[in-house]
Amino acid sequence: RQMCIRDSFSMVSLLRLNVITSDLDNAVKAVELIDDKALVNISKAYACMITLFYYAGFAYLMKGRYKESVKMFEVILSFIIKYKQFFTRSFQYETIVRQAERAISLLAVSTIFYPTEIDRSVQNLLNERLGDKLEKLQKYDTETFKECFNYGCPKLIVPIRDREHFENYGFDVQVLEPVNQLRDTLLSQFLKIQKLNDFSGVLRVYSTISLQKIAKIMKVDQTQLKELLDQHKRRNQVDLGDCPFEKKVISMLRGSSVIIDFTIENDMIKINETTTKTNYSKIFSKYSSNIDQLLTEIQNL
């Protein structure tokens, strides 16, 4: 059991190390190894659990998985709002509060890339802490985006790989800060996302619309319209991967959400609005089988 607990905390440390060195591909791979059993161990240490979801949310944000990013930051803030009275007794209280403030900024950024309804208490917290900044961000103000990202981004470092790397870049003041590199990468997507959000807004208004009409509304040609259709499809994909974290953790955290889907028939777009709901019967069956297994083990003692 002690080995299992050490492994759980080691996974969080590996995730954090990969994020602060800007190795985001390996950061996501480190997250994928964490399952529901590891999460039980991690949740016993408040600061560790908040660290897990904060760094996982940042990694998902930078890898373009905005839906998962929103959910990670929402979980942090919901958890803190619910149990904040216990944090004041912890010697890590200031660290927890500082990480929560960063998560607020990054959640605001994430909801621009994937507009969705979030928990009302979390939304109220965003409005309270960000105020006018949130409104400016929703109007795609680049300076506000930079300010929110710089504040919410974890401290990043440039690791020295070997002696040659140190001699060439160790004292080079011209090397771009990793925070600025990631910010500029995400900014390029931020500058494009308004068109996609406007397109999704148009789909919410109509039940059917011709390709020519929506192209005229969006002021795009047929090639650009096809790109918007593909981007909208990809952003609203609901399928999860086979890794433990997605199958056993994210699937539990996902609540109901409204998905705007469409089909194209004879140059006409038919819009379908579907609501994904939590399958409570499946959850009940899972825990019932666990209880049966525990009872069997007790009877065999």
Side-chain angles (χ1 to χ4, degrees):
R1 179 176 175 79
Q2 289 179 348
M3 180 65 72
C4 180
I5 293 174
R6 285 200 300 269
D7 289 345
S8 301
F9 293 130
S10 296
M11 292 175 190
V12 178
S13 298
L14 179 61
L15 165 64
R16 181 174 179 271
L17 176 63
N18 285 322
V19 169
I20 66 175
T21 56
S22 303
D23 189 357
L24 299 171
D25 289 322
N26 283 325
V28 172
K29 290 178 182 177
V31 174
E32 290 174 348
L33 297 174
I34 299 173
D35 58 12
D36 53 341
K37 293 181 180 178
L39 189 63
V40 169
N41 296 324
I42 293 168
S43 64
K44 294 176 182 177
Y46 294 145
C48 187
M49 182 174 179
I50 293 169
T51 297
L52 164 64
F53 284 95
Y54 169 73
Y55 283 99
F58 182 78
Y60 282 135
L61 174 63
M62 295 310 304
K63 294 303 295 180
R65 298 176 60 177
Y66 307 121
K67 187 186 301 185
E68 289 84 353
S69 176
V70 169
K71 181 54 65 177
M72 295 298 102
F73 294 126
E74 185 183 359
V75 166
I76 292 178
L77 298 173
S78 297
F79 183 78
I80 290 174
I81 290 170
K82 189 177 293 185
Y83 300 108
K84 60 184 177 182
Q85 67 269 24
F86 298 108
F87 299 146
T88 56
R89 306 173 188 176
S90 172
F91 69 94
Q92 295 175 312
Y93 176 71
E94 292 184 1
T95 303
I96 293 172
V97 170
R98 188 163 57 249
Q99 212 156 45
E101 293 293 337
R102 291 176 177 173
I104 290 171
S105 293
L106 291 180
L107 176 59
V109 172
S110 299
T111 52
I112 299 301
F113 288 97
Y114 188 76
T116 185
E117 290 186 12
I118 58 177
D119 185 84
R120 183 174 298 178
S121 61
V122 175
Q123 185 64 58
N124 291 338
L125 183 62
L126 281 180
N127 296 334
E128 177 187 336
R129 296 298 173 85
L130 296 181
D132 293 339
K133 288 182 183 178
L134 184 60
E135 186 177 348
K136 290 179 180 178
L137 194 61
Q138 291 170 344
K139 293 180 179 178
Y140 308 97
D141 183 72
T142 54
E143 292 303 318
T144 305
F145 167 81
K146 291 178 181 178
E147 184 180 347
C148 289
F149 183 85
N150 287 343
Y151 183 80
C153 181
K155 184 177 180 180
L156 305 178
I157 61 173
V158 180
I160 300 298
R161 296 189 296 269
D162 50 36
R163 180 176 177 177
E164 182 181 356
H165 185 259
F166 176 74
E167 291 174 350
N168 293 334
Y169 301 103
F171 300 99
D172 189 356
V173 294
Q174 300 297 324
V175 174
L176 189 63
E177 286 290 329
V179 173
N180 295 339
Q181 288 181 326
L182 294 183
R183 184 197 64 205
D184 293 344
T185 299
L186 197 61
L187 179 60
S188 65
Q189 299 300 317
F190 179 77
L191 296 173
K192 301 175 184 176
I193 200 65
Q194 182 177 1
K195 183 71 75 173
L196 179 59
N197 288 344
D198 291 344
F199 177 76
S200 299
V202 172
L203 292 182
R204 289 179 181 273
V205 175
Y206 292 89
S207 57
T208 59
I209 185 172
S210 66
L211 292 173
Q212 292 79 9
K213 184 175 180 179
I214 197 170
K216 185 178 180 180
I217 292 173
M218 296 301 302
K219 298 179 181 178
V220 296
D221 56 31
Q222 292 299 317
T223 303
Q224 293 172 323
L225 178 61
K226 186 178 183 303
E227 290 178 0
L228 286 173
L229 291 167
D230 292 339
Q231 290 172 7
H232 181 84
K233 278 278 189 183
R234 287 196 299 270
R235 187 166 74 169
N236 286 282
Q237 285 178 346
V238 297
D239 296 335
L240 294 174
D242 293 329
C243 64
F245 191 74
E246 293 189 16
K247 287 180 66 176
K248 298 185 178 181
V249 178
I250 294 181
S251 61
M252 290 192 301
L253 297 175
R254 275 189 175 180
S256 61
S257 60
V258 178
I259 304 291
I260 304 297
D261 199 6
F262 62 86
T263 56
I264 300 176
E265 296 180 9
N266 300 324
D267 293 335
M268 293 293 295
I269 302 176
K270 294 185 177 181
I271 295 95
N272 304 309
E273 185 175 300
T274 58
T275 303
T276 59
K277 296 182 179 180
T278 305
N279 191 340
Y280 292 106
S281 61
K282 187 175 181 180
I283 295 174
F284 178 79
S285 300
K286 175 185 174 182
Y287 285 110
S288 296
S289 63
N290 289 343
I291 291 173
D292 291 338
Q293 185 178 353
L294 285 172
L295 288 174
T296 303
E297 292 176 357
I298 291 172
Q299 291 173 355
N300 292 333
L301 291 177

